[in-house]
Amino acid sequence: MLPESVRPYTEAAPVAAFFLGISSGFPYAMIGATLTTRLAQDGIDKKAVTAFSLAFLVYNLKWLWAWIVDGVHIPVLGRLGQRVSWLILAGLFVIAAVANLALVNPETSLIETAYAAVLVGVAGATFDIVIDAYRIETLRPDQLGVGSGMSQYGWRIGSVAAGGLALVLAARTGWEAAYLACALFALPAMLTGLAMGEPARHREPSERRGMAEAWVSIKGPLVEFFQRRGAFLVLLFILLHKIGDTLANLTFRLLFDDLGYTNDEIAIYDVGLGFWAYLIGIFVGGILYSRLGMKRSVLLSLVLMAMSNFSFALLAAAGHSNWGMAGAIGFENFASGIGGVTVVAYFSALCDLRFTAAQYALISAAASIVGRFLTGTSAGALIEAFGYVNFYLLTTLAALPGIILFWLMMRAGLIDSSVGSAGKENGEAV
């Protein structure tokens, strides 16, 4: 007999979220470390290799076309349902884009390779839009925490497995065959859609009378969201909550290098220990969301993520210490795993079931844009100006506005009033 804490992870909808996550994670790997390795092995200049990271910017722009997934009905395939038909079409788009990247030759045409990488980014971002909408609409409000955790498990496994398979096959059969084989990682989400069918909670944005009705899907997500009580404070929280965490996360390798850690030590603690701590955090996050509810679990995760930044200030003050690194990395990944589940579940609950794809794409883009901008423009300068200890203390303080704002929103009842139909059961927030 399964323990009570494990049973929610075995229900059909969370298991489906796991397979959706696998397909969501693999395109990211195809244009990330995998493509970097391929270009390096082909003798491409380092500056050109690093420029390919711009392909990831497409994921930050997916909100521009997310409304199409809500409002445009696909001929013929549409008989399967709005979400299922888009899962199939987006999956085929990803397969074709990855196959195209497999067939270009970086040595003879670097520009064609760049176009192919951006195309994979567009296809992967579109697949993400559909997958997020399908996940949210398949899960009941009380399953959003566990389902978000299962999706993240799938994402990690899909990205790591696809990247690993590509390296193994490339060494034996070449990069073309490796990429073509990895394109099959799109199948888990497509088959899940066919097996589970159209989500019972899906709602159409309007009656379908042709392309003119798609306008409702463009303006509807914004109009509906900002009509809610406390919507502007919720948006402010979305923009602010991750600033400290993002500022800190992208500087850890700089700290490790300056503290004199070897590559082996980084591999053991940052990659190895951090990976398992993150997976444990995801599991715990799902349980906390189910046991404590949305509001208290999100607030707790925000506090833990702020404390994890402080742990790196302690590591920077202590200097080279394997125990210190293990503690800081372990706690940071554990807290990030919890936060990833609870905050993603909360953001999922904010969606209106008529505009799930568009609203979640907007929310997820807004959640990262401020932190990424500040990191890219100021993190290095702040470290040089204040040193690592004061920098990580600053990132801890940067997390406080998000914590305080969420607590005030809880006290004022704005969390419940701002939740969309995706987070409600029988009209009540769960």
Side-chain angles (χ1 to χ4, degrees):
M1 186 174 180
L2 289 173
E4 190 66 28
S5 60
V6 176
R7 189 175 295 114
Y9 287 91
T10 65
E11 296 174 352
V15 171
F18 171 78
F19 288 107
L20 293 170
I22 290 176
S23 294
S24 176
F26 100 91
Y28 207 80
M30 294 297 94
I31 57 175
T34 303
L35 182 58
T36 299
T37 303
R38 179 185 183 184
L39 295 173
Q41 291 181 356
D42 285 343
I44 306 301
D45 177 74
K46 286 183 174 61
K47 290 182 180 178
V49 171
T50 55
F52 273 77
S53 63
L54 293 174
F56 289 115
L57 288 176
V58 177
Y59 279 84
N60 287 52
L61 301 174
K62 61 184 180 182
W63 55 273
L64 289 171
W65 68 92
W67 62 270
I68 297 174
V69 175
D70 282 329
V72 176
H73 185 69
I74 302 172
V76 184
L77 271 179
R79 297 173 184 175
L80 296 172
Q82 182 72 2
R83 295 303 182 214
V84 175
S85 60
W86 270 100
L87 265 181
I88 302 302
L89 182 64
L92 292 173
F93 182 22
V94 168
I95 290 173
V98 173
N100 179 59
L101 183 58
L103 299 177
V104 298
N105 188 343
E107 294 180 277
T108 58
S109 182
L110 198 59
I111 190 65
E112 284 186 14
T113 307
Y115 289 148
V118 170
L119 184 63
V120 173
V122 173
T126 305
F127 210 15
D128 262 8
I129 293 168
V130 189
I131 285 171
D132 285 332
Y134 190 90
R135 169 182 59 82
I136 293 168
E137 293 175 356
T138 301
L139 297 165
R140 300 190 309 268
D142 62 289
Q143 294 176 317
L144 285 174
V146 170
S148 298
M150 289 292 277
S151 178
Q152 290 191 50
Y153 277 133
W155 197 97
R156 280 292 178 111
I157 290 171
S159 59
V160 171
L165 178 64
L167 291 174
V168 171
L169 290 180
R172 291 160 176 79
T173 60
W175 283 106
E176 294 83 0
Y179 268 78
L180 290 172
C182 287
L184 298 178
F185 276 86
L187 293 179
M190 299 166 70
L191 296 175
T192 296
L194 291 172
M196 295 285 291
E198 189 72 357
R201 305 184 76 216
H202 175 66
R203 302 289 182 269
E204 296 290 349
S206 64
E207 293 183 14
R208 299 195 182 281
R209 300 171 186 164
M211 285 297 294
E213 290 299 309
W215 174 242
V216 177
S217 299
I218 299 174
K219 69 173 184 178
L222 291 172
V223 172
E224 189 282 329
F225 181 83
F226 285 108
Q227 285 177 339
R228 302 178 200 173
R229 177 170 171 257
F232 285 96
L233 286 177
V234 173
L235 176 60
L236 183 62
F237 170 75
I238 292 169
L239 292 169
L240 293 180
H241 83 285
K242 209 174 181 181
I243 291 177
D245 197 52
T246 305
L247 270 173
N249 282 348
L250 295 181
T251 63
F252 292 156
R253 290 295 175 90
L254 296 175
L255 172 67
F256 299 155
D257 183 64
D258 284 349
L259 291 181
Y261 287 101
T262 66
N263 287 349
D264 287 345
E265 288 171 332
I266 294 173
I268 292 170
Y269 297 109
D270 190 15
V271 180
L273 176 63
F275 176 78
W276 289 107
Y278 186 77
L279 295 187
I280 294 169
I282 289 174
F283 180 78
V284 173
I287 295 173
L288 289 175
Y289 193 90
S290 299
R291 299 283 177 85
L292 299 180
M294 178 177 65
K295 291 174 286 190
R296 288 189 294 168
S297 64
V298 171
L299 183 63
L300 175 61
S301 68
L302 294 173
V303 173
L304 290 175
M305 287 190 287
M307 291 171 59
S308 71
N309 288 354
F310 181 71
S311 70
F312 281 92
L314 297 177
L315 176 62
H320 189 126
S321 165
N322 286 347
W323 282 108
M325 184 182 189
I329 283 292
F331 183 60
E332 194 278 331
N333 278 275
F334 178 73
S336 292
I338 293 175
V341 170
T342 59
V343 175
V344 166
Y346 170 53
F347 288 166
S348 300
L350 289 174
C351 296
D352 185 291
L353 291 170
R354 294 170 297 169
F355 312 110
T356 313
Q359 286 186 340
Y360 192 80
L362 283 163
I363 290 168
S364 59
S368 61
I369 189 169
V370 176
R372 287 183 179 177
F373 175 77
L374 288 176
T375 300
T377 57
S378 63
L382 287 172
I383 290 172
E384 290 182 357
F386 300 112
Y388 283 109
V389 175
N390 290 329
F391 171 76
Y392 289 117
L393 290 176
L394 181 63
T395 64
T396 304
L397 291 175
L400 294 182
I403 296 172
I404 294 170
L405 179 57
F406 192 83
W407 178 76
L408 291 173
M409 289 162 55
M410 285 177 60
R411 293 287 300 272
L414 295 181
I415 302 298
D416 289 334
S417 64
S418 65
V419 166
S421 54
K424 294 178 180 178
E425 194 74 62
N426 299 322
E428 297 292 330
V430 177

